[in-house]
């Protein structure tokens, strides 16, 4: 059974009740980082994910869709990108999606925003996660450590992945 998620706009990434942000410099060119975030089977370096598959044809743009399975494989989500900007002249790239459907109840909104841009030594990667639970959720004093631990593995895995280039 699928549960529809609510739509939102870009400000949600900074105003959601539950947020996590990764802001790091990785030792690769912005074009290489962007290619890793936009290829089929992207994020295969993240232990928190089982699979990430683009379900739209190339080239990707606003309206592109993706299907994601979180580890160990019980949670599945369909996503749609509503932000997709590529500026090769400035080596600045960004995209953002919102979850459209998920196979478990309890989530009202979920989205991610990714931006890569030049840094002094490589690429600045800004990766935002935003969500809102449906119904009663854990108080922030309990939910924050849980989400920080989960998203912390994504941060660690991403830094390790780009260090191997």
């Amino acid at each position: 059974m699928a549960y529809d998620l609510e739509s939102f706009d870009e400000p949600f990434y900074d105003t959601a009740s539950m947020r996590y942000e990764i802001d790091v410099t990785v030792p690769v060119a912005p074009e290489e980082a962007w290619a890793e975030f936009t290829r089929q089977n992207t994020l295969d370096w993240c232990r928190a994910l089982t699979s990430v598959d683009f379900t739209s044809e190339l080239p990707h743009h606003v309206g592109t869709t993706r299907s994601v399975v979180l580890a160990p494989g019980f949670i599945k989500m369909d996503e749609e990108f509503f932000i997709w900007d590529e500026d090769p002249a400035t080596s600045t790239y960004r995209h953002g999606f919102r979850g459209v459907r998920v196979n478990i109840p309890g989530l009202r909104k979920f989205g991610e925003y990714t931006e890569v841009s030049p840094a002094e030594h490589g690429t600045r990667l800004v990766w935002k996660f935003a969500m809102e639970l449906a119904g009663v959720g854990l108080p922030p004093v309990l939910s924050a450590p849980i989400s920080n631990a989960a998203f912390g593995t994504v941060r660690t895995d991403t830094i390790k992945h780009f260090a191997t280039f």
Side-chain angles (χ1 to χ4, degrees), residues 134-151:
V136 178
L138 291 173
V141 70
L142 297 175
S143 63
I146 294 169
S147 64
N148 287 344
F151 290 119

PDB file of all heavy atoms in Angstrom, residues 134-151:
ATOM      1  N   ALA A 134       3.740  12.625  10.268  1.00  0.00           N
ATOM      2  CA  ALA A 134       2.279  12.718  10.356  1.00  0.00           C
ATOM      3  C   ALA A 134       1.879  12.284  11.756  1.00  0.00           C
ATOM      4  O   ALA A 134       2.452  11.346  12.307  1.00  0.00           O
ATOM      5  CB  ALA A 134       1.621  11.809   9.315  1.00  0.00           C
ATOM      6  N   GLY A 135       0.934  12.960  12.340  1.00  0.00           N
ATOM      7  CA  GLY A 135       0.473  12.569  13.671  1.00  0.00           C
ATOM      8  C   GLY A 135       1.485  12.928  14.748  1.00  0.00           C
ATOM      9  O   GLY A 135       2.304  13.814  14.596  1.00  0.00           O
ATOM     10  N   VAL A 136       1.439  12.181  15.820  1.00  0.00           N
ATOM     11  CA  VAL A 136       2.298  12.442  16.969  1.00  0.00           C
ATOM     12  C   VAL A 136       3.651  11.782  16.730  1.00  0.00           C
ATOM     13  O   VAL A 136       3.735  10.608  16.385  1.00  0.00           O
ATOM     14  CB  VAL A 136       1.666  11.877  18.265  1.00  0.00           C
ATOM     15  CG1 VAL A 136       2.575  12.114  19.449  1.00  0.00           C
ATOM     16  CG2 VAL A 136       0.307  12.518  18.493  1.00  0.00           C
ATOM     17  N   GLY A 137       4.707  12.548  16.901  1.00  0.00           N
ATOM     18  CA  GLY A 137       6.059  12.021  16.746  1.00  0.00           C
ATOM     19  C   GLY A 137       6.805  12.094  18.062  1.00  0.00           C
ATOM     20  O   GLY A 137       6.286  12.568  19.072  1.00  0.00           O
ATOM     21  N   LEU A 138       8.013  11.619  18.039  1.00  0.00           N
ATOM     22  CA  LEU A 138       8.856  11.714  19.223  1.00  0.00           C
ATOM     23  C   LEU A 138       9.212  13.167  19.476  1.00  0.00           C
ATOM     24  O   LEU A 138       9.384  13.939  18.526  1.00  0.00           O
ATOM     25  CB  LEU A 138      10.153  10.926  19.012  1.00  0.00           C
ATOM     26  CG  LEU A 138      10.047   9.411  18.953  1.00  0.00           C
ATOM     27  CD1 LEU A 138      11.404   8.815  18.574  1.00  0.00           C
ATOM     28  CD2 LEU A 138       9.576   8.850  20.275  1.00  0.00           C
ATOM     29  N   PRO A 139       9.366  13.563  20.728  1.00  0.00           N
ATOM     30  CA  PRO A 139       9.818  14.932  20.997  1.00  0.00           C
ATOM     31  C   PRO A 139      11.244  15.109  20.487  1.00  0.00           C
ATOM     32  O   PRO A 139      12.009  14.136  20.406  1.00  0.00           O
ATOM     33  CB  PRO A 139       9.746  15.040  22.522  1.00  0.00           C
ATOM     34  CG  PRO A 139       9.698  13.643  23.025  1.00  0.00           C
ATOM     35  CD  PRO A 139       9.139  12.793  21.940  1.00  0.00           C
ATOM     36  N   PRO A 140      11.621  16.338  20.108  1.00  0.00           N
ATOM     37  CA  PRO A 140      12.952  16.587  19.553  1.00  0.00           C
ATOM     38  C   PRO A 140      14.096  16.054  20.421  1.00  0.00           C
ATOM     39  O   PRO A 140      15.114  15.620  19.901  1.00  0.00           O
ATOM     40  CB  PRO A 140      13.014  18.112  19.438  1.00  0.00           C
ATOM     41  CG  PRO A 140      11.594  18.524  19.285  1.00  0.00           C
ATOM     42  CD  PRO A 140      10.795  17.546  20.111  1.00  0.00           C
ATOM     43  N   VAL A 141      13.926  16.069  21.742  1.00  0.00           N
ATOM     44  CA  VAL A 141      14.995  15.585  22.615  1.00  0.00           C
ATOM     45  C   VAL A 141      15.286  14.099  22.357  1.00  0.00           C
ATOM     46  O   VAL A 141      16.397  13.637  22.546  1.00  0.00           O
ATOM     47  CB  VAL A 141      14.662  15.855  24.103  1.00  0.00           C
ATOM     48  CG1 VAL A 141      13.519  14.968  24.583  1.00  0.00           C
ATOM     49  CG2 VAL A 141      15.886  15.677  24.976  1.00  0.00           C
ATOM     50  N   LEU A 142      14.289  13.356  21.885  1.00  0.00           N
ATOM     51  CA  LEU A 142      14.479  11.941  21.549  1.00  0.00           C
ATOM     52  C   LEU A 142      14.742  11.722  20.060  1.00  0.00           C
ATOM     53  O   LEU A 142      15.562  10.891  19.686  1.00  0.00           O
ATOM     54  CB  LEU A 142      13.259  11.124  21.982  1.00  0.00           C
ATOM     55  CG  LEU A 142      12.959  11.088  23.476  1.00  0.00           C
ATOM     56  CD1 LEU A 142      11.663  10.347  23.729  1.00  0.00           C
ATOM     57  CD2 LEU A 142      14.104  10.441  24.230  1.00  0.00           C
ATOM     58  N   SER A 143      14.026  12.452  19.198  1.00  0.00           N
ATOM     59  CA  SER A 143      14.160  12.227  17.756  1.00  0.00           C
ATOM     60  C   SER A 143      15.471  12.762  17.199  1.00  0.00           C
ATOM     61  O   SER A 143      16.026  12.184  16.276  1.00  0.00           O
ATOM     62  CB  SER A 143      12.984  12.836  17.002  1.00  0.00           C
ATOM     63  OG  SER A 143      12.948  14.237  17.156  1.00  0.00           O
ATOM     64  N   ALA A 144      15.988  13.856  17.760  1.00  0.00           N
ATOM     65  CA  ALA A 144      17.227  14.445  17.237  1.00  0.00           C
ATOM     66  C   ALA A 144      18.406  13.476  17.298  1.00  0.00           C
ATOM     67  O   ALA A 144      19.111  13.311  16.304  1.00  0.00           O
ATOM     68  CB  ALA A 144      17.550  15.755  17.951  1.00  0.00           C
ATOM     69  N   PRO A 145      18.659  12.815  18.436  1.00  0.00           N
ATOM     70  CA  PRO A 145      19.784  11.869  18.454  1.00  0.00           C
ATOM     71  C   PRO A 145      19.611  10.703  17.486  1.00  0.00           C
ATOM     72  O   PRO A 145      20.578  10.249  16.879  1.00  0.00           O
ATOM     73  CB  PRO A 145      19.804  11.363  19.895  1.00  0.00           C
ATOM     74  CG  PRO A 145      19.089  12.390  20.693  1.00  0.00           C
ATOM     75  CD  PRO A 145      18.074  12.986  19.756  1.00  0.00           C
ATOM     76  N   ILE A 146      18.383  10.257  17.289  1.00  0.00           N
ATOM     77  CA  ILE A 146      18.126   9.149  16.358  1.00  0.00           C
ATOM     78  C   ILE A 146      18.407   9.595  14.927  1.00  0.00           C
ATOM     79  O   ILE A 146      19.127   8.925  14.182  1.00  0.00           O
ATOM     80  CB  ILE A 146      16.681   8.627  16.502  1.00  0.00           C
ATOM     81  CG1 ILE A 146      16.497   7.991  17.886  1.00  0.00           C
ATOM     82  CG2 ILE A 146      16.347   7.638  15.396  1.00  0.00           C
ATOM     83  CD1 ILE A 146      15.049   7.697  18.230  1.00  0.00           C
ATOM     84  N   SER A 147      17.854  10.740  14.526  1.00  0.00           N
ATOM     85  CA  SER A 147      18.067  11.202  13.149  1.00  0.00           C
ATOM     86  C   SER A 147      19.513  11.620  12.933  1.00  0.00           C
ATOM     87  O   SER A 147      20.074  11.376  11.863  1.00  0.00           O
ATOM     88  CB  SER A 147      17.107  12.342  12.788  1.00  0.00           C
ATOM     89  OG  SER A 147      17.329  13.476  13.576  1.00  0.00           O
ATOM     90  N   ASN A 148      20.151  12.228  13.930  1.00  0.00           N
ATOM     91  CA  ASN A 148      21.560  12.599  13.786  1.00  0.00           C
ATOM     92  C   ASN A 148      22.435  11.375  13.582  1.00  0.00           C
ATOM     93  O   ASN A 148      23.376  11.401  12.791  1.00  0.00           O
ATOM     94  CB  ASN A 148      22.042  13.403  14.992  1.00  0.00           C
ATOM     95  CG  ASN A 148      21.492  14.808  15.006  1.00  0.00           C
ATOM     96  OD1 ASN A 148      20.999  15.305  13.996  1.00  0.00           O
ATOM     97  ND2 ASN A 148      21.566  15.455  16.149  1.00  0.00           N
ATOM     98  N   ALA A 149      22.138  10.289  14.262  1.00  0.00           N
ATOM     99  CA  ALA A 149      22.910   9.054  14.087  1.00  0.00           C
ATOM    100  C   ALA A 149      22.695   8.491  12.686  1.00  0.00           C
ATOM    101  O   ALA A 149      23.647   8.102  12.003  1.00  0.00           O
ATOM    102  CB  ALA A 149      22.527   8.032  15.144  1.00  0.00           C
ATOM    103  N   ALA A 150      21.454   8.452  12.231  1.00  0.00           N
ATOM    104  CA  ALA A 150      21.155   7.903  10.901  1.00  0.00           C
ATOM    105  C   ALA A 150      21.795   8.749   9.806  1.00  0.00           C
ATOM    106  O   ALA A 150      22.473   8.224   8.920  1.00  0.00           O
ATOM    107  CB  ALA A 150      19.649   7.815  10.701  1.00  0.00           C
ATOM    108  N   PHE A 151      21.584  10.062   9.856  1.00  0.00           N
ATOM    109  CA  PHE A 151      22.149  10.925   8.830  1.00  0.00           C
ATOM    110  C   PHE A 151      23.661  11.069   8.989  1.00  0.00           C
ATOM    111  O   PHE A 151      24.366  11.349   8.031  1.00  0.00           O
ATOM    112  CB  PHE A 151      21.459  12.291   8.828  1.00  0.00           C
ATOM    113  CG  PHE A 151      20.045  12.231   8.338  1.00  0.00           C
ATOM    114  CD1 PHE A 151      18.997  12.610   9.152  1.00  0.00           C
ATOM    115  CD2 PHE A 151      19.754  11.779   7.061  1.00  0.00           C
ATOM    116  CE1 PHE A 151      17.683  12.552   8.699  1.00  0.00           C
ATOM    117  CE2 PHE A 151      18.448  11.717   6.600  1.00  0.00           C
ATOM    118  CZ  PHE A 151      17.406  12.107   7.424  1.00  0.00           C
TER     119      PHE A 151
END
